Amino acid sequence: MATRTDAPTRREQILKEAARLFAERGFHGVGVDEIGAAVGISGPGLYRHFAGKDAMLAELLVGISGQLLTGAKRRVAEADGGDAEALLDSLIEGHIDFALDDRPLITLHDRELDRLRDSDRKLVRQLQRQYVELWVQVLREVHPGLAEPAARSAVHSVFGLLNSTPHLGRPGSLPGRAAMSELLHRMARGAFGAAASG
C-alpha cells in the first residue's frame, strides 16, 4: 500500500492485486485463481495467506480505514498543538496521497462495502467516523466561526472531492502527479474557505 516504502510482503502483494482486480471487474467477477496468477502463486496457495476472497475484501477495507486514521493521528501528534493551518494542510496532503496512490481502494469501498460482514462494516464506519471527527476538530481550529455541523459537512464534501480520482479518467490522461496533487490541495482549501465564509 502507499504508506510503505520498503518491499511489499507477499500478503501485501496479494492485497494490492486483489484490490486492482476487484475494482476493475467487481468482487464476484474475480476468482481466487486470477488473484493468485497476478502474484505468481496458485489459487489454492492464497489460502495460506487468507481464508478466502471475503477475508481479502475485509482486510482491504478495514485496513485502509485504519491506515488513514493512524496517519492522521500521527500528523496531529507531530504538530503537537502547533499551527492549525499547517496541520490542515498536512491532513489534506495525506488524504491526497491516498486518493492518488490507492484509487482501486476508493472504487472498492464505493462498490463493495455492503459485502462485508456486519462486524467488519461497523468497524470500517467506526474508523471513518473517528477520521472525520479528527478533521472537524482541526478545521474548526482554522475556522473557529464554522459551526460543527457545517464543518462536518465540509469535511465530507472535501472527501468526496478528493476521492473522485478514480472517476477522472485514465492515469495517463491526468496532469502529472505533482500537478494533480497541487490542484486537489488548492480545491480542498478553497472548499473549506468557502464553507467558512458562508
Side-chain angles (χ1 to χ4, degrees):
M1 306 230 154
T3 55
R4 288 182 59 108
T5 54
D6 51 337
T9 65
R10 177 52 62 115
R11 187 178 181 86
E12 289 168 333
Q13 291 172 344
I14 292 168
L15 287 172
K16 181 177 180 181
E17 289 305 313
R20 181 183 63 81
L21 290 167
F22 292 158
E24 286 176 2
R25 301 212 306 273
F27 181 74
H28 288 303
V30 178
V32 171
D33 290 339
E34 293 171 90
I35 298 169
V39 294
I41 61 176
S42 69
L46 287 180
Y47 293 109
R48 287 196 299 272
H49 301 277
F50 296 96
K53 287 197 316 177
D54 289 334
M56 289 180 216
L57 181 64
E59 185 154 335
L60 284 165
L61 295 183
V62 172
I64 194 57
S65 297
Q67 286 175 37
L68 284 169
L69 178 59
T70 298
K73 286 180 174 179
R74 178 181 47 77
R75 289 169 187 269
V76 170
E78 288 170 356
D80 194 25
D83 182 8
E85 293 269 2
L87 176 53
L88 182 59
D89 283 332
S90 179
L91 289 173
I92 292 169
E93 287 163 12
H95 199 96
I96 287 172
D97 285 343
F98 157 67
L100 292 177
D101 298 337
D102 289 316
R103 292 167 68 181
L105 288 176
I106 296 171
T107 301
L108 202 57
H109 178 277
D110 290 347
R111 217 187 268 162
E112 310 289 358
L113 181 64
D114 287 344
R115 296 194 191 285
L116 294 182
R117 293 179 309 177
D118 284 347
S119 58
D120 289 328
R121 191 167 55 252
K122 285 176 183 172
L123 180 54
V124 167
R125 294 297 192 200
Q126 178 186 39
L127 293 167
Q128 290 173 341
R129 278 193 300 274
Q130 292 176 50
Y131 184 59
V132 167
E133 293 311 309
L134 188 150
W135 277 66
V136 168
Q137 181 178 347
V138 174
L139 180 59
R140 293 189 73 214
E141 289 176 25
V142 173
H143 298 289
L146 192 58
E148 190 173 309
R152 191 170 294 108
S153 295
V155 168
H156 280 290
S157 296
V158 165
F159 287 170
L161 167 72
L162 299 180
N163 291 349
S164 68
T165 54
H167 311 292
L168 298 179
R170 295 182 314 279
S173 68
L174 300 176
R177 191 192 189 287
M180 193 68 206
S181 178
E182 184 181 331
L183 173 63
L184 289 170
H185 198 118
R186 285 199 315 270
M187 293 175 72
R189 284 305 297 254
F192 285 142
S197 66

